[in-house]
Amino acid sequence: MRPSGRELNEMRPVSIETGVTKHAEGSCMIRMGDTHVLCTATIEDRVPPFIKGSGLGWVTAEYGMLPRSTNTRMRREASSGKQGGRTVEIQRLIGRALRAGVDRVALGERQITVDCDVIQADGGTRCASITGGWVALRLAVNKLMKTGDVISDPLVDPVAAVSCGIYAGQPVLDLDYPEDSEAGVDGNFIMTGSGKLIEVQMSAEGSIFSRDQLNQLMDLAEKGVSELAAAQKATTA
């Protein structure tokens, strides 16, 4: 039995609310159970120096956790003068995950920055950030297409992410914090809406795992991502 009472292959309740901020070109609040992330997308008519003049667009991301997003207050990273290694690793993951679903030629020479701010954390914050980040990106691109700044849709395939792991010896879908903190195996699966893999992060946290267990986790991830992609489509249609 899972601490939440969910079935092994059952996601936490997922909701995506769009248009939650006034100024961003695209925004949403994604809630996956008790993990809540504010995602905003900003369009800029510039690109990083290393692709300037190439005609290619760029999608990047920034990620952060508010001080009381967790059980005890965390110090703001700005007060220490630098980002932590975990933060840098996660925002790079979000950026490259989102870029995998973008035709950068069709986007044109502009940059879209997706900011993911964790309001409340209960496991799976990077997965929620990727899934909600795609919605914010979709809404921003819709504005570009509506104004005619972009002719053909540069978003070729939705991107979503879900965590899976081995908890109490059983493969489970969409780990919350009580499961994540005790899982023998923990993994994050980033996929497209059509079921293609972008990235898999798997690690043995306390017990090794077999190829058969990996296949079981992959099956769970496919189910979870398909549900998330359906939620994304329903929100941005």
Side-chain angles (χ1 to χ4, degrees):
M1 178 66 70
R2 305 177 69 172
S4 62
R6 287 182 287 148
E7 298 294 329
L8 300 180
N9 65 348
E10 185 180 352
M11 296 277 292
R12 291 174 289 179
V14 176
S15 68
I16 305 174
E17 178 187 359
T18 60
V20 295
T21 67
K22 177 180 179 179
H23 300 293
E25 284 78 18
S27 68
C28 76
M29 177 72 77
I30 182 169
R31 298 177 175 88
M32 296 181 66
D34 285 332
T35 288
H36 303 168
V37 184
L38 172 65
C39 303
T40 58
T42 301
I43 303 169
E44 299 174 283
D45 289 324
R46 64 179 183 88
V47 292
F50 65 88
I51 58 170
K52 190 173 183 179
S54 67
L56 297 174
W58 189 248
V59 175
T60 189
E62 293 190 12
Y63 167 95
M65 297 180 69
L66 295 188
R68 281 313 307 265
S69 60
T70 53
N71 188 43
T72 57
R73 186 184 186 276
M74 298 183 301
R75 186 183 182 192
R76 293 183 188 272
E77 291 182 322
S79 66
S80 65
K82 65 177 182 179
Q83 291 180 311
R86 176 182 180 274
T87 297
V88 172
E89 182 264 326
I90 290 177
Q91 65 188 25
R92 286 177 177 171
L93 168 68
I94 297 168
R96 64 178 178 265
L98 297 178
R99 286 194 297 273
V102 177
D103 179 345
R104 292 168 53 207
V105 174
L107 180 59
E109 199 165 314
R110 58 176 53 84
Q111 175 172 283
I112 301 180
T113 301
V114 177
D115 288 290
C116 302
D117 293 292
V118 179
I119 308 298
Q120 182 171 283
D122 187 44
T125 61
R126 72 187 66 193
C127 293
S129 295
I130 291 168
T131 304
W134 178 264
V135 172
L137 179 62
R138 171 76 274 175
L139 295 172
V141 168
N142 285 350
K143 288 194 174 183
L144 286 172
M145 295 179 66
K146 186 175 182 180
T147 58
D149 292 320
V150 169
I151 305 302
S152 61
D153 191 354
L155 303 189
V156 295
D157 207 353
V159 174
V162 72
S163 63
C164 299
I166 306 293
Y167 173 78
Q170 296 288 334
V172 296
L173 173 64
D174 189 23
L175 283 71
D176 53 26
Y177 181 75
E179 294 170 332
D180 187 32
S181 61
E182 297 184 13
V185 176
D186 182 23
N188 299 300
F189 297 79
I190 302 99
M191 305 173 69
T192 67
S194 60
K196 293 183 174 63
L197 286 168
I198 296 173
E199 188 161 338
V200 176
Q201 298 178 326
M202 289 287 295
S203 59
E205 302 288 346
S207 60
I208 58 177
F209 57 99
S210 66
R211 174 64 178 271
D212 182 59
Q213 288 175 314
L214 175 59
N215 291 340
Q216 292 175 27
L217 295 176
M218 277 296 312
D219 290 340
L220 288 174
E222 286 184 351
K223 176 182 183 295
V225 167
S226 68
E227 293 178 14
L228 292 171
Q232 288 173 324
K233 184 177 180 180
T235 303
T236 58

